[in-house]
Amino acid sequence: MTSAPGRLSITWPDAPEIVVIAGLGPRGMIVSGRHSSAAKAAWCLQAVIRLFARAGRPWPWPDEKSTFDDRKRDVVSTVATAIETLLSAGISHAGPRSATDLERLAQVTRLEELPRLSRLLTSAAGRLRALAERDDAVDEATVLSALAAAWALTQALTAVTGPPDPALIGPTDTETAHTGLLLPLSATWWTAPSGSRGLTVRLWDLDHDQPEMVTTGRAAGTDVAFHYSLDATLLWGTSMRNILSGPLRLTGAERRPDGSLAPSNRTSVTRRSAEAGYDDIDLEAVADHLQQTGSGPEVARFEAPVPRLRLIIVAQDGLGPISIDEVHQHYLLPVTSTDGRRHLLCMEVGGGEMQMVSDVLSRELQVHAITVEGDHPSGVFVREHDRISLLVATFPPSRGASGRGYGRLRRRVEETHTHEAHTNRGDRMPIRALVQDVREALTALAASGTTRPTSTVAHVLRARVRMAGDLQLTTLAAVLTEVDDRPSPGAVLRACAVIDRLDALTL
């Protein structure tokens, strides 16, 4: 630091010279060289902090405790009323204008520094617009769940008496992510009805024993280089072939406000070595950790739960005969794990899951483990060329695959009686059956706008109240009783929020 009449020059290692002009304050500082406005402001702030430290004075960082003032309460109340009004009119009768109203409320809540509520409203608005435009991929139950999630958060915020829990407010910016060695488990290429397309990769952090997920995408008609290919550069500046070739580490990783990893090009992928693959990974330990993680209370959030991730260690000759579920129109693949348990996996007709399984069958590959999302296989760890490799459901099969895999798949299906599908589907867990029945009843009320149950719906609700009581689900029994005894949009939304959380816990 050097001084001259009317000014002070400050510098430190790897920093430009910063000149402080007497009487002008921090805004009047001059930074040598060319910098963006943000970088210049950061250099000036560092200079002021260093001046304080040199003088032995602490730098008083402002205390930014989040407050929940009357203005925020009014906004939250407006959101709750808007959602209840929408339900009173009936979800099936809502049009694009209702979706636009929700989008405006999402903007208002964002300006009021309520980012989590804003994201839930944005999600609900998108689903409502899709329903209004008769998108077959979205139904009334999906819209009701999205609206119930946003409404439930408004109730939690309304109950706040002091400084709100930061989890209710939600983060606003990306943060630095400290990830360890990441094990790829699946990669799913998806296309939305709007024409936008993208990629979701799910991984397991071997160092921190926690799941990770990253999603990237492009709008319809943009970035032709972003296309369905293992060799295209889609994520973190590298190809999916490189990402799926084995465990990896990230440099410069960032985390989005929703908790997932950011697909930033500033993040780079580093391999352990050119030859390192999956052979030295304890997949059984990963399967055990995933089983414990997927059943914890943290899965019950306001946001819609992502499909539960599992890893099934497959027994020798553990792939059973494939059958057809004629009711739901998909294939069923029975898999026996090394602990003797039987798992029934679903495969969409003509989907990527069928392609992946036919690839495995056609080349008679030895299957070590299967990644399962929800009830659908999304990745297979196989031994190929004396090494374990990962095949994923929605990318093209390896070059060794041939069309005979589909023929073999069809032959295995034709040799199997379809009654097995009905036997397996009929043996539902009591809680899963309860969830499905209650959701159907609540959706019928919300779709029509008639919150007072008809005699049929009332009978279903009362029967399910008794069933919930038998299962000691007292909260569910109470909210269902409210729907029947004191019908209102709020009662339906509250019951839907509870059933969705129960569903997330039992996936």
Side-chain angles (χ1 to χ4, degrees):
M1 183 174 67
T2 58
S3 60
R7 69 177 193 174
L8 191 67
S9 296
I10 308 170
T11 188
W12 61 91
D14 300 323
E17 181 183 11
I18 301 172
V19 179
V20 183
I21 307 298
L24 297 184
R27 292 182 179 274
M29 289 181 176
I30 300 173
V31 181
S32 63
R34 301 183 64 178
H35 308 277
S36 66
S37 57
K40 180 181 177 181
W43 286 123
C44 292
L45 179 59
Q46 285 194 54
V48 173
I49 294 172
R50 288 173 181 271
L51 278 174
F52 270 66
R54 186 180 180 89
R57 296 174 55 188
W59 173 255
W61 288 103
D63 185 7
E64 294 186 354
K65 287 186 178 179
S66 180
T67 59
F68 199 65
D69 53 26
D70 291 340
R71 183 170 177 175
K72 284 186 172 64
R73 289 187 183 277
D74 290 341
V75 169
V76 169
S77 177
T78 299
V79 170
T81 301
I83 294 175
E84 291 172 8
T85 301
L86 183 58
L87 227 67
S88 297
I91 294 176
S92 296
H93 306 306
R97 182 175 178 179
S98 298
T100 301
D101 292 340
L102 286 182
E103 289 169 349
R104 289 172 180 166
L105 287 174
Q107 294 173 359
V108 171
T109 51
R110 187 180 301 113
L111 292 174
E112 290 297 329
E113 299 179 344
L114 297 170
R116 188 171 195 179
L117 181 56
S118 177
R119 286 192 292 271
L120 290 175
L121 286 171
T122 300
S123 176
R127 286 166 170 75
L128 184 61
R129 186 176 298 281
L131 181 67
E133 294 174 352
R134 304 296 186 264
D135 183 349
D136 292 337
V138 178
D139 56 15
E140 286 86 353
T142 302
V143 176
L144 175 59
S145 291
L147 291 172
W151 182 88
L153 182 53
T154 66
Q155 303 308 294
L157 288 168
T158 301
V160 168
T161 56
D165 187 332
L168 296 178
I169 303 300
T172 56
D173 301 314
T174 58
E175 302 173 345
T176 300
H178 302 285
T179 58
L181 185 63
L182 299 176
L183 172 70
L185 294 174
S186 70
T188 304
W189 178 269
W190 47 265
T191 303
S194 63
S196 61
R197 72 277 186 210
L199 172 73
T200 297
V201 180
R202 302 191 71 174
L203 314 102
W204 177 258
D205 191 323
L206 293 165
D207 293 339
H208 300 104
D209 291 333
Q210 65 182 28
E212 296 284 4
M213 183 174 70
V214 58
T215 297
T216 184
R218 300 292 187 275
T222 62
D223 193 0
V224 294
F226 189 88
H227 63 281
Y228 178 78
S229 171
L230 273 174
D231 297 308
T233 301
L234 302 177
L235 177 67
W236 295 325
T238 189
S239 67
M240 285 310 302
R241 189 180 300 279
N242 183 38
I243 290 175
L244 297 175
S245 62
L248 53 94
R249 293 189 183 275
L250 300 179
T251 302
E254 297 177 334
R255 194 174 301 281
R256 283 174 163 171
D258 63 4
S260 65
L261 296 175
S264 172
N265 286 331
R266 295 185 295 272
T267 302
S268 59
V269 173
T270 304
R271 304 236 68 86
R272 294 182 296 169
S273 70
E275 298 298 325
Y278 298 100
D279 294 84
D280 61 339
I281 302 300
D282 188 350
L283 294 179
E284 292 188 6
V286 174
D288 290 339
H289 283 302
L290 277 170
Q291 181 67 28
Q292 298 168 12
T293 302
S295 58
E298 65 275 2
V299 300
R301 309 181 302 162
F302 289 103
E303 291 78 10
V306 296
R308 182 185 175 186
L309 189 64
R310 293 181 290 154
L311 188 64
I312 298 175
I313 307 300
V314 181
Q316 187 174 4
D317 298 326
L319 298 183
I322 299 172
S323 58
I324 299 176
D325 184 340
E326 295 180 346
V327 176
H328 299 90
Q329 291 296 299
H330 53 222
Y331 290 116
L332 298 174
L333 172 65
V335 177
T336 303
S337 54
T338 51
D339 60 3
R341 295 181 59 191
R342 189 170 182 272
H343 310 265
L344 199 59
L345 309 184
C346 302
M347 299 185 295
E348 299 296 332
V349 175
E353 301 140 349
M354 281 182 57
Q355 178 68 68
M356 178 180 66
V357 172
S358 68
D359 185 20
V360 172
L361 295 177
S362 66
R363 294 187 289 147
E364 300 181 348
L365 297 174
Q366 180 184 356
V367 178
H368 278 251
I370 299 179
T371 303
V372 181
E373 298 186 43
D375 293 325
H376 295 262
S378 57
V380 180
F381 288 91
V382 299
R383 180 164 291 280
E384 184 178 19
H385 307 306
D386 296 325
R387 296 185 61 184
I388 294 178
S389 59
L390 173 62
L391 303 179
V392 295
T394 56
F395 277 91
S398 58
R399 296 174 183 175
S402 66
R404 64 190 177 97
Y406 278 119
R408 182 171 181 176
L409 180 62
R410 285 194 296 269
R411 287 194 298 274
R412 291 187 67 171
V413 172
E414 291 169 358
E415 293 169 357
T416 305
H417 281 291
T418 59
H419 75 271
E420 181 182 358
H422 298 293
T423 301
N424 284 285
R425 284 291 162 180
D427 187 20
R428 297 186 298 170
M429 291 174 55
I431 293 181
R432 299 293 298 157
L434 173 63
V435 166
Q436 182 175 338
D437 294 343
V438 170
R439 180 174 284 121
E440 290 177 356
L442 296 176
T443 301
L445 295 175
S448 64
T450 306
T451 54
R452 180 172 296 279
T454 62
S455 58
T456 301
V457 173
H459 173 74
V460 171
L461 289 175
R462 289 165 190 161
R464 298 306 172 260
V465 166
R466 292 192 295 271
M467 185 176 180
D470 293 340
L471 294 171
Q472 297 185 351
L473 301 173
T474 55
T475 300
L476 178 59
V479 296
L480 293 181
T481 300
E482 182 183 3
V483 173
D484 188 25
D485 294 346
R486 299 180 299 280
S488 68
V492 173
L493 289 163
R494 183 176 292 105
C496 182
V498 171
I499 205 70
D500 284 345
R501 300 304 166 267
L502 179 61
D503 192 19
L505 290 169
T506 55
L507 280 175

